[in-house]
C-alpha cells in the first residue's frame, strides 16, 4: 500500500478508535463541550439595542485546545452558562445565566446562597465601611459606585423565585450590605441531585478599584456574576457537620468558591479584544458593529475577563516537564508593547519551575493582562488561567514587573488549583504564594530576599487561621497573611532542610489540588512527610500569632584562680522550640560555638577561659527567620554590670562581619 495511503488509513482507524473510546467511556460529550456551546446557552444572548457601527478590527486566531481533556479533575459542583454584554456607554454589564448546582452532601438542601460581589461597591456596604474606600494603595473615586441588580430568577420550569429573595449579613449584621443573598427552593435538592436556575442581572461597573471596574475603554470584570457559595461537607476543613460557608465581601477578604464548568459568551464593541479564563471555542462572531466571543473552561472555580480596544496582543506556545502544552497570551497596555519579551520570559520561566516543583499545570492557556496606569486597581490579581500584572505606570519598570507577574502565576497553584478558603485562612493562598514568589525570583533572576530584615517589619503579629476581617487593620492583614505567612514556611524550611521542604510542598499540592484544604490539612502533610509532630510549631505561629524571640539575657564574668568564669543566661521568650547556635568570643581571639536545642524557656551556660568573654551572640547565622527582635540576640560582656545595656547598633556589623552581608 502506498505510504501516503497507509498513513491516511492509519489516521482513519485511529480517529474511529478515539470516537468509539469516547462514546464508550462518556468522553464524547466532553469533546463537544470544548468546541461548541449548547443551544440553551446560545439562546441566552441578550439582544443589543441600537448597536454601534464601528469598523471591525482584526482578531487573534482563536485557541485550539492542546489536547482532549477526557479526565474530570474536580468534583464539578457547579456549571455556569453565561451570556454577558458590555454596554460601554453606561459602563454596565447586562448578563443572564443558567446555573446548575449539584448537592455534594448527605443531607437535602432547601436554600441556596449566592455571592453578589459587585454590591461591595454600593454605598453602605461592609466592604466600603471596612476599607474606607482604599485598598492596596488605591483610592475609590468619589461617587464611583457600582452594584449588581438581579432582575429575574426562575426555575427551569419558569417559576419565579424573586419574591423569595432576601439578603443576609452573617458576619456583621450590616443591613446595607447586599453581597450575600439567599432564597428558599420550591423543593429540597437531595444528596447527589442537581438543580438548575435561570438568572438575569445588570452590573454597574465602578471606576477601576479593588480588582474590578472600568478605566476609559479598559474593563476588568472580576467577581462580576452571581456566584453560588460553597456548601462544605462533613470533615471538609475540619467541619463537624455539613453546611454552607457564608461570608460577606469584606475590606480585606478575597474569595472562595467551588470547582465547576464555565461556558461564557461575551459581547463587546467590534473594536475590542477580550482576555478571559479558559479558551476561545471559535472565532468571534461579528454583527452590527458588535463582536461575540465564546469561552469555555472546566475544573475551575471562577471566571474573569478583561476587554480593551488597545491591547497589544502576543501569544506563544510553551511546554516543559510538568507543563504539557500551554498557549501563553499577553494582552499588553500599549506603553509596555516593547516589554513583551520580559513578560513572556517571566511567564514561561515561572510555569516551568512550578511544573517542576509541584506538578502539572492542567489548563491549555494562561492569559496575562497588563492594565493601563489609570486601571491600577485591577493590577496584580489572580484568576483561573488569567492573571493581571502590575499596571503600566512607566515604560521601563524595574523588577517589580517580574515580581508581580511571577507572584500572580504562582497563585495559579495555591489559589487556582489548591482552592483555599480565602475568607477564613487567607495565608494558605497569599503566604504560600509569597513563599513561592521568593523561590521563583531567586531561581530565575538571582533576586534573593533578606528574611531577617523582612522579619523586623513584623510589628503586630496575629494568628494566621483567622477570618480576614478579624485582623486589626488592612496593614495587619497584609503584614501577617503575606509576610508572616511566608516566613512561617521559610522557618519550616530552615528546620527540615530544602529537600524535605520541597517534598512537603509537592505532597501538599498533589494531595489537595482541586480541593479546599485547611491549615490542619497542611500540618498533617508536614507531619506525614517528616514523621515528626509539629503541634508546638503550628500552635505558636499559625494559631497563636507568635514570633520567635531568642535573646542573650545576661553575662556575668568573674576572675578565678585559673582564669575567668563566665555565666551566660539565654532565653526563649516566644515561638516554638528549635535548635539555635551560640557564638562566644573571648578577649584572646578564641571563639567557641555551642548548640542549644531551644526546648527550655531559658538555659545557663558556665564557661571557663583564660581571658574574659567579650560578647555572646545567639543565632549568628540568622537561621531563626521568625525572630523579629534581633537587637537582643547580642550582648557585650566586658563592661560593668550596672552599665551593661543591649547594643542595638553594632549587632548588624558584627553578624555581617562574621558571615558576610546578605543581598535582596
Amino acid at each position: 500500500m502506498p505510504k501516503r495511503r497507509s498513513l491516511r488509513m492509519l489516521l482513519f482507524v485511529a480517529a474511529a478508535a478515539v470516537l468509539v473510546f469516547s462514546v464508550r467511556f462518556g468522553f464524547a460529550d466532553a469533546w463537544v463541550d470544548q468546541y461548541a456551546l449548547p443551544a440553551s446557552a446560545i439562546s441566552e444572548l441578550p439582544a443589543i439595542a441600537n448597536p454601534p457601527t464601528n469598523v471591525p478590527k482584526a482578531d487573534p486566531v482563536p485557541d485550539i485546545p492542546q489536547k482532549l481533556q477526557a479526565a474530570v479533575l474536580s468534583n464539578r459542583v457547579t456549571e455556569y452558562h453565561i451570556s454577558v454584554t458590555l454596554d460601554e456607554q453606561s459602563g454596565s454589564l447586562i448578563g443572564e445565566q443558567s446555573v446548575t448546582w449539584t448537592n455534594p452532601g448527605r443531607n437535602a438542601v432547601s436554600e441556596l446562597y449566592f455571592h453578589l460581589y459587585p454590591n461591595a461597591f454600593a454605598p453602605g456596604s461592609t466592604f466600603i465601611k471596612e476599607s474606607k474606600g482604599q485598598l492596596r494603595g488605591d483610592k475609590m473615586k468619589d461617587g464611583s459606585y457600582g452594584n449588581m441588580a438581579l432582575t429575574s430568577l426562575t426555575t427551569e420550569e419558569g417559576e419565579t423565585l424573586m419574591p423569595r429573595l432576601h439578603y443576609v449579613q452573617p458576619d456583621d449584621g450590616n443591613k446595607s450590605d447586599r453581597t450575600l443573598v439567599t432564597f428558599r427552593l420550591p423543593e429540597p435538592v437531595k444528596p447527589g441531585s442537581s438543580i438548575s436556575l435561570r438568572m438575569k442581572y445588570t452590573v454597574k461597573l465602578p471606576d477601576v478599584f479593588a480588582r474590578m471596574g472600568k478605566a476609559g475603554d479598559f474593563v476588568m470584570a472580576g467577581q462580576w456574576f452571581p456566584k453560588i457559595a460553597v456548601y462544605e461537607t462533613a470533615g471538609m476543613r475540619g467541619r463537624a457537620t455539613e453546611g454552607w460557608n457564608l461570608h460577606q465581601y469584606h475590606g480585606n477578604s478575597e474569595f472562595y468558591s467551588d470547582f465547576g464548568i464555565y461556558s461564557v459568551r461575551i459581547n463587546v464593541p467590534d473594536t475590542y479584544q477580550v482576555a478571559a479564563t479558559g479558551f476561545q471555542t471559535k472565532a468571534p462572531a461579528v454583527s452590527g458593529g458588535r463582536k461575540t466571543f465564546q469561552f469555555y473552561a472546566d475544573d475551575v472555580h471562577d471566571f474573569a475577563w478583561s476587554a480593551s480596544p488597545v491591547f497589544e496582543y502576543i501569544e506563544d506556545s510553551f511546554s516543559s516537564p510538568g507543563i504539557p502544552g500551554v498557549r501563553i497570551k499577553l494582552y499588553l497596555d500599549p506603553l509596555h508593547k516593547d516589554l513583551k519579551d520580559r513578560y513572556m520570559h517571566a511567564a514561561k520561566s515561572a510555569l516551568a519551575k512550578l511544573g517542576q516543583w509541584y506538578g502539572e499545570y492542567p489548563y491549555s492557556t494562561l492569559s496575562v493582562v497588563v492594565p493601563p496606569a489609570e486601571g491600577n486597581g485591577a493590577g496584580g490579581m489572580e484568576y483561573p488561567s488569567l492573571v493581571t500584572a502590575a499596571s503600566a505606570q512607566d515604560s521601563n519598570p524595574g523588577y517589580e514587573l517580574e515580581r508581580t507577574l511571577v507572584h500572580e502565576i504562582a497563585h495559579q497553584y495555591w489559589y487556582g488549583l489548591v482552592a483555599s478558603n480565602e475568607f477564613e485562612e487567607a495565608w494558605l493562598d497569599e503566604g504560600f504564594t509569597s513563599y513561592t514568589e521568593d523561590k521563583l525570583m531567586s531561581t530565575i533572576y538571582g533576586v534573593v530576599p533578606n528574611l531577617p530584615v523582612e522579619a523586623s517589619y513584623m510589628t503586630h503579629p496575629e494568628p494566621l487561621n483567622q477570618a480576614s476581617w478579624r485582623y486589626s487593620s488592612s496593614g495587619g492583614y497584609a503584614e501577617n497573611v503575606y509576610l508572616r505567612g511566608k516566613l512561617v514556611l521559610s522557618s519550616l524550611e530552615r528546620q527540615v532542610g530544602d529537600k524535605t521542604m520541597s517534598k512537603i510542598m509537592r505532597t501538599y499540592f498533589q494531595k489537595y489540588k482541586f480541593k479546599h484544604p485547611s491549615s490542619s490539612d497542611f500540618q498533617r502533610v508536614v507531619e506525614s512527610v517528616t514523621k515528626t509532630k509539629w503541634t508546638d510549631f503550628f500552635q505558636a505561629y499559625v494559631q497563636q500569632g507568635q514570633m520567635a524571640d531568642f535573646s542573650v539575657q545576661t553575662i556575668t564574668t568573674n576572675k578565678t584562680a585559673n582564669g575567668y568564669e563566665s555565666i551566660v543566661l539565654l532565653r526563649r521568650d516566644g515561638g516554638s522550640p528549635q535548635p539555635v547556635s551560640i557564638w562566644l568570643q573571648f578577649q584572646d581571639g578564641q571563639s567557641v560555638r555551642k548548640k542549644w536545642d531551644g526546648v527550655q524557656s531559658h538555659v545557663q551556660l558556665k564557661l571557663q577561659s583564660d581571658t574574659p568573654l567579650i560578647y555572646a551572640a545567639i543565632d549568628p547565622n540568622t537561621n531563626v527567620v521568625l525572630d523579629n527582635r534581633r537587637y537582643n540576640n547580642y550582648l557585650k560582656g566586658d563592661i560593668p554590670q550596672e552599665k551593661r545595656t543591649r547594643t542595638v547598633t553594632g549587632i548588624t556589623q558584627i553578624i555581617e562581619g562574621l558571615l558576610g552581608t546578605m543581598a535582596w
Side-chain angles (χ1 to χ4, degrees), residues 175-192:
K175 296 302 181 183
S176 297
D177 188 85
R178 296 193 164 197
T179 57
L180 188 63
V181 69
T182 186
F183 52 91
R184 192 165 185 83
L185 297 168
E187 297 291 337
V189 183
K190 296 178 181 179

Side-chain angles (χ1 to χ4, degrees), residues 95-111:
E96 58 181 287
Q97 65 187 38
S98 170
V99 56
T100 300
W101 179 77
T102 301
N103 182 354
R106 296 184 176 181
N107 299 327
V109 174
S110 299
E111 289 185 318

Side-chain angles (χ1 to χ4, degrees), residues 38-103:
S40 61
I42 294 174
S43 67
E44 292 171 7
L45 181 66
I48 306 300
N50 302 318
T53 57
N54 305 60
V55 178
K57 180 179 177 181
D59 285 285
V61 177
D63 294 309
I64 302 300
Q66 300 295 308
K67 59 182 180 179
L68 175 61
Q69 184 66 66
V72 175
L73 302 177
S74 70
N75 57 1
R76 296 188 178 181
V77 171
T78 58
E79 181 173 347
Y80 294 86
H81 295 275
I82 308 175
S83 294
V84 61
T85 296
L86 169 64
D87 182 344
E88 71 281 10
Q89 301 300 322
S90 65
S92 298
L93 305 178
I94 302 110
E96 58 181 287
Q97 65 187 38
S98 170
V99 56
T100 300
W101 179 77
T102 301
N103 182 354

